[in-house]
Amino acid sequence: MSEQKEQPDLTRRDFIRSGVRGALLAGVGAATGGLLARSRSGDTVWQIDPEKCIACGNCATYCVLKPSAVKCVHAFGLCEYCEKCFGYFDLDAPDVETGAENQLCPTGAIKRRLVREPQYEYKIDEQLCIGCGKCVAGCGQFGMGALFLQVRHDLCINCNECAIAAACPADAFRRVPADKPYLLKKKQ
Amino acid sequence: MRRLIQFLIVLTVSASVAFAAAKLPTWYNLPETTTPAPQSDIFEYIDVAVLAAAMALAAYLALKRRSRRGLLALTIFSLLYFGFWRGGCVCPVGSIQNVTLGLFDSGYVVPATVIAFFALPLLFTLFFGRVFCAAVCPLGAIQDVVLVKPLKVPTWLAHALGLGPYVYLGLAVLMAATGSAFIICRLDPFVGFFRLVPLGKWGQAIIQDGSWPGWDLGGRFNLLALGACVLLVSAFIGRVYCRFVCPYGALLRIMSRFSRWRVSITPDECIQCRLCEDACPFGAINKPTRRKNVSRSEGKGRLAALILLLPVMVAVGGWLGGRVSPALSGRNPTIRLAQRIRDEDAGKVKGTTDAAEVFRESRRPVVELYEEASGIRREFLLGGRLLGAFIALVVMLKMIRFSIRRRRDDYEADRADCLACGRCFAHCPREQARLKRIREGK
Amino acid sequence: MKKRRGISTTGVIIAVVITVATAAAVVVILRFDPTGKGGSGLGEQFVYDSEQYRKTDPNLIHYKELKPIETGLKVARGIAVGPDDAVYVAGDRKIVAFDRDGKSIAEIALGDPPQCLAVEADGTIYTGMIDHVEVYSKGGRRIAKWPSVGDDAIITSIALSDSDVFVADSGNSVVLHYDKAGRLVNRIGQVDKERGIPGLLVRKPCIDVAVENGKVLWVTNPGRWRVESYSFDGAPKRHWGRQSQEIEGFCGCCNPTCIAVLPRLRQAQSSHGWLITGEKGLPRVKICDETGCLRSVVAGPEAFAKGTVGLDLTVDSRGRVLVLDPVAKAVRVFVKKDD
Ligand code: SF4
Ligand code: SF4
Ligand code: SF4
C-alpha cells in the first residue's frame, strides 16, 4: 500500500507481480473448479465394512478418542437369541450362567435378558463397550455374526484421515456419504 | 384398501419367517440397531462462512485498521472456534492432501466444504497477504498465544530451516497422490490438544440432548507429547511450526509474494528510525540495503553461475529423489503388504501379520498383488524424482534470490515471511503519530 | 545476532528447554506407529483366542491331502460323486464335472444358482435350487423341474436311494421325501413328541442329508449339535453328537454342517455306519463311528482358511474324501495315509 514511489524498476516489478498473481489465481481456480465440478455437497464419514473387519482389536486403541468411537453393535434381525451365545460366553466357559467369570466381554458391556426359554436377548451397553471386537470375533466365528463393529457417529469426530483406518490390517474402513453413515449387517 | 393392507401384512409376515429358525414370541419386539447420525452438514457450511468472515476481518484489522489488539482477539476466537470447537479437522493445512488425492484419484470425491477450506485462504493471501496465518489458523493461533520470549534465529539457520515446509509439502503431496497416507494429519502436533477439550462435542451433546457427555474424550499420548514439545519450543522460537514445518505455509508464501496488498510496518512513510528493526518475533523484517558493499559485477557473475547451475542441480535432485523413492514407497500399505508376503514366502521372517493373513485368506493371486505394488513403486519413482527436482529448484531459487541485489530503501516486512500479526505496528513512531500518541515531527 | 552480550542464566535455560523439547519431539515422531504395526496393545483378556482349537493332534489325522481340483467357480456350493467316481460341483449358475483324475469333463448351464446336488449311478443329476429341484440327464438336458416347495424354502441338500429323493429344506427345518417322479411322499424330522423327535434346529441354513446303504437316512441337526438317522418312513433310529469345541464334539452354535456316509471298504469291514462330518467355525472334517466316537480326523482347522463357512463333502468309491472348499473354490482331495 505504500509503494507509491514511482520508480520505473518498481512498476516493472509490480507488473510482473500482477501477472504472476493472475496466473496463480487461475491455477487455484482451475484446480478447485475441477474438483468442485465432481464434488458432492454432502460430507463423507468413516465407516467399517463389517464383511471385511477381522476384529483385530486395533479399533479400541488407534482411535484418536479414548474410549474409541468404534463400538460393537448388534443386528438383532440376524441374532438367533441362543442360550449359549458365543459373543457373550467365554469360549471355555463351563456353563451358561451369567457369572462374570463366564462372560467374554472384558468390560461386561453385553447385557443378557431372558426372552423366553431358551431364547435370550443380548444388548450392548455402549457406555461400557470399548470396541475391542472380542465378542465380534466370537459371534463371527461360532455364531451368526450378528455382532459387529461400527464407527458411532455421535462420538466420531470425523478425522480427515481416520487413525484406525490407517492401522486397519483388513482395509475395512472406507468413507461413506454422511447421509448413509452406517454399513449394517443384514440377512443375505 | 383393506385388501391391500392384508396383502402387505401377509407379505411382511412371510418375509420375516423366511430365515427365522428361532421363532421369537409374538409379544417380543425386535429391538432396532441404533444409528446415531453424524454432525449435520449445516455445521460445515457455517465453518466455511466463519472462515471467510474471519479472514475478511483479519484483512481489515491488519491492513486497514492496523490493530494488533483486534488481531489478538480474533486469534483467540479462532483458536476456540477452529481449534477446540471444530476439533481441528479438516483444516486448510490438511486439505492439501484431500485436494491432491482428489486431483490424482478420480474415484475420490472431495466435499465442497473441504475444497473451500483449501482455496479460500490461498485466495485471501493472494490479495491481502498471510492474513489467514495472522489470526485465523488454529495451529498458528495456539503457537501465537504461548509465545513468551521470542528469540532470534540466526539468518542462515532460518533460511536453512525455511526449506522444511517445501520438503514437507512435497512429501505430503507425494504420499497423498499415491494414496499412501495423509502424513500431515498423522503428524499434526496440535490436534491432540484440540481434542482434549472438545468444545464442539460437548456443545453439540448439550444442544442435542441436553446432557453433559463427560470428560471421557481425550487425545492420545503420542500426539499430545509431540504437541507439548512443539508448544514448548514455540514459546521461544515464535511460530516454529508455521515457519519451519507447515506445508500450507509454503503455498501461502508463494501466494503472499505476489499479493495485491500487504502489511506495511509504517502507516505512511519509513523514516529509517530503526525502531522496528527487532520488532518482529518471526524475523520477517528486512533492512534497507546498504548500497556501498555491493560489487555489481561480482553479484552478476554469481547470478549467471547459479542460473547455469539450475538445470544441473534440478537434474541431480531428480536423480537423488529417484534413489530415495524406494524408502518413501515403504510407507504405502500395498507395498508394505507385498514386501511382507515376499519376505514370508522367502522364509525371511517368522510368523505372519494380520494384514498378510487377510490377504492370504482372500485367495487373491500373489502376482496380482506384486503387480499392483510395482505399479505403485513406479509412481513413487516418478514422484520421488519430481520431489527431488522440486526441492532442488526451491533451493536454487532461494540462492538466486540472495544473489539478486534488490534495492530496498525502507524497513519492510518480508512478503513471504510476514505473518501479518501486526506486532511491529506499535514500534513505528509514525504509527504512534497516526494514533496521536506522540506529537508529529521531530 | 548483535545481542550476544555474555550468556545469561535464562538464556541457558531456554537453550536447554529448546534442545530437550526438540529431541523429545524427534523421539515421539520416531515412535509413532500409525500403521498398526505394533498391534492393538490390548491386554490378553481382550483377545479372542481360539487358536488352541485350531491345532489338531497329528496322531489323530489319518489322512493326507492330494492336489486339489480347481473348480473355476466364483461361488462353490455343493459336491457329489457320480458314476466312475466323476466329481460334480454345483455353483454360480452351473454344474461342472471332473473325471476321477480331476480333468474337466462337462459343464451344464443352469437358470438359477444351485445350492446342492446329487448324482445317480446312471449319471442323472438332481440339483436343488433355493426352493425347487431340477433333474438333468447325464448329457446335461433338463428332464424335469419340480414345483416350488414354498416361499420359505431353502434347499440345502439332496440325497438319493434307488427309488427315493430326500431334500433337506433348511428354511422349514424338514427333510422332504420324494419319489423319483417328484411326488412328495413324506416329511421327515418334524417335531413329534410321541416318536421322540425333537425337531431339526437350524440357525444358518445348513441341514445336510445322506443315505446309508440305500436304507437309512442320515440328517444333520446342527442346532442340537448332532446327527440323526431315520428309516425311510420317518421313524427315528439313532442319533449322536454333542456340543464341544474339542475335536470330539461339534463346535460353535450349530454344527455339523455337512455329512457323508463312509462307504464300506474292503479293508475296513467294520466301518459300517461311519460318518464323515464337516463343521464351520472351526472348519474341520472328521470321521466318527456308529456310536459317534471319533475315529480319525480327515482335515483339521489348520487345513482351512479362518472363518471358512459352507464346506460340503462327499466320498468316492475308492474312499477318497472330497471336500468342497468354498474359500479356495476347489475340491480338496484327502486320502488315507497308508493308501
Ligand atoms: S482395525 Fe479393522 S479389522 Fe481391526 S477391528 Fe477395526 S475394522 Fe476390524
Ligand atoms: S467384547 Fe469388546 S467389542 Fe464386544 S461389547 Fe465388549 S468391549 Fe465391546
Ligand atoms: S475418524 Fe477419528 S474419531 Fe472417528 S473413528 Fe477414526 S480415529 Fe476415531
Side-chain angles (χ1 to χ4, degrees), chain A residues 152-172:
Chain A
R152 304 304 273 169
H153 291 297
D154 49 344
L155 303 173
C156 174
I157 52 175
N158 199 12
C159 308
N160 196 16
E161 183 192 51
C162 171
I164 318 173
C168 174
D171 196 18

Side-chain angles (χ1 to χ4, degrees), chain B residues 70-92:
Chain B
L71 285 168
L72 185 61
L74 186 57
T75 302
I76 292 169
F77 164 79
S78 299
L79 178 58
L80 291 175
Y81 185 84
F82 292 108
F84 293 104
W85 173 270
R86 265 186 102 239
C89 250
V90 179
C91 70

Side-chain angles (χ1 to χ4, degrees), chain A residues 36 39-44, chain B residues 44 98 108-116:
Chain A
L36 270 175
S39 99
R40 201 189 349 242
S41 62
D43 203 354
T44 53
Chain B
E44 318 260 328
N98 303 58
Y108 179 77
V109 179
V110 192
T113 47
V114 175
I115 300 175

